[in-house]
Amino acid sequence: MKKGLFITFEGADGSGKTTQLNKIKDLLVEQGFDVVVTREPGSLDIGQKIRNILLHQEGFVSDRCEMFLFLADRSQHVDELIKPAVEQGKIVLCDRHTDSTVAYQGYGRGQDIELLKRLNKIAVDGIVPDLTLLFDVSTQTAQDRVGSEKDRMESAGAKFHSRVRNGYLELQKENPDRIKIIDANNDIDKVFEDTKNIVVKLIQESRGV
Ligand code: TYD
């Protein structure tokens, strides 16, 4: 492989995407691929500090402040980790990325969606996922899975999360080649089967198999 691959995992809190990301990592590592697992927000030192504010700050956090913090984290993450890893031929599995900002800050919080897309472009500096897996789950199931210990974002309420879900589905319609939907209402094994099929296909295509 000349260049690596950049795969993002998206979906609601409680969609099970992180579990699937780890299962895909195990599979790819077993097959001898050089895999990097990372997440947004908060993969690196600066990101950890930003994550702490975003998820655990008490009291008022303005919607614009929240938006810029997610974007600031992303800019650092792209420059420090994602770009170099992809250039070194690694497979980068990233838990949340640009689509989270459009879904959560745009559709969820009501920030200007076109503006968010432009700001995302600045943050990613030319890096676009080769594949985005969207783990779609009903808002009720997702909320049940999250349980009662919620962070600042998870506490935003069912209506907010329902708008986020619709936002993701809208993004998928706009980007059908990049974003593949997986029905995450299914049990873990079936979701893994579906996820694996899509990832394996991408890897085969990228190597010209
Ligand atoms: P995290 O604990 O990583 O949740 P999850 O395991 O569901 O990914 O928390 C990240 C939270 O931040 C999650 O509620 C989604 C939210 N988020 C945004 O609102 N905008 C963004 O751009 C990103 C990356 C995450």
Side-chain angles (χ1 to χ4, degrees):
M1 231 189 297
K2 277 196 218 87
K3 175 180 125 11
L5 287 172
F6 179 35
I7 305 177
T8 59
F9 290 63
E10 294 280 0
D13 303 83
S15 61
K17 65 184 167 40
T18 309
T19 306
Q20 296 298 330
L21 186 155
N22 286 320
K23 285 170 80 70
I24 290 292
K25 178 200 79 181
D26 291 345
L27 176 85
L28 296 180
V29 167
E30 226 171 73
Q31 294 180 356
F33 289 101
D34 201 348
V35 182
V36 174
V37 166
T38 188
R39 69 168 177 191
E40 292 183 8
S43 60
L44 296 158
D45 183 36
I46 292 177
Q48 275 300 333
K49 292 175 181 136
I50 297 176
R51 180 182 175 89
N52 209 18
I53 302 173
L54 281 165
L55 301 188
H56 305 298
Q57 182 71 31
E58 307 217 340
F60 177 67
V61 178
S62 94
D63 287 353
R64 276 177 300 115
C65 174
E66 178 185 290
M67 166 181 89
F68 280 118
L69 286 174
F70 278 116
L71 288 156
D73 169 69
R74 180 158 309 126
S75 308
Q76 179 73 16
H77 189 206
V78 165
D79 291 348
E80 201 177 341
L81 191 150
I82 300 174
K83 254 194 181 178
V86 173
E87 276 161 13
Q88 287 162 20
K90 298 180 179 170
I91 300 183
V92 177
L93 306 179
C94 184
D95 199 339
R96 298 195 182 280
H97 189 61
T98 46
D99 300 308
S100 282
T101 308
V102 178
Y104 281 76
Q105 280 61 57
Y107 288 89
R109 297 276 195 232
Q111 296 288 316
D112 184 316
I113 285 163
E114 291 313 311
L115 174 66
L116 286 173
K117 288 179 182 170
R118 292 214 304 279
L119 292 172
N120 260 334
K121 262 199 181 155
I122 297 172
V124 302
D125 198 27
I127 279 268
V128 178
D130 297 286
L131 169 68
T132 296
L133 298 159
L134 171 55
F135 295 87
D136 181 55
V137 66
S138 79
T139 301
Q140 188 56 53
T141 304
Q143 300 264 297
D144 293 347
R145 285 182 189 166
V146 167
S148 57
E149 276 212 6
K150 294 186 168 74
D151 63 35
R152 202 180 65 81
M153 297 304 296
E154 286 162 352
S155 307
K159 278 192 184 143
F160 171 85
H161 286 284
S162 158
R163 289 197 299 277
V164 169
R165 181 185 184 199
N166 291 337
Y168 270 129
L169 294 173
E170 208 47 54
L171 281 168
Q172 195 280 328
K173 276 189 216 141
E174 289 168 19
N175 303 275
D177 292 339
R178 172 175 66 87
I179 306 181
K180 304 296 176 202
I181 294 198
I182 291 166
D183 185 349
N185 296 292
N186 290 324
D187 67 61
I188 271 193
D189 293 341
K190 166 74 175 127
V191 176
F192 182 57
E193 198 56 36
D194 294 345
T195 309
K196 190 172 79 178
N197 288 340
I198 297 171
V199 172
V200 166
K201 186 163 172 264
L202 171 76
I203 291 177
Q204 286 172 344
E205 282 168 3
S206 77
R207 302 165 114 202
V209 177

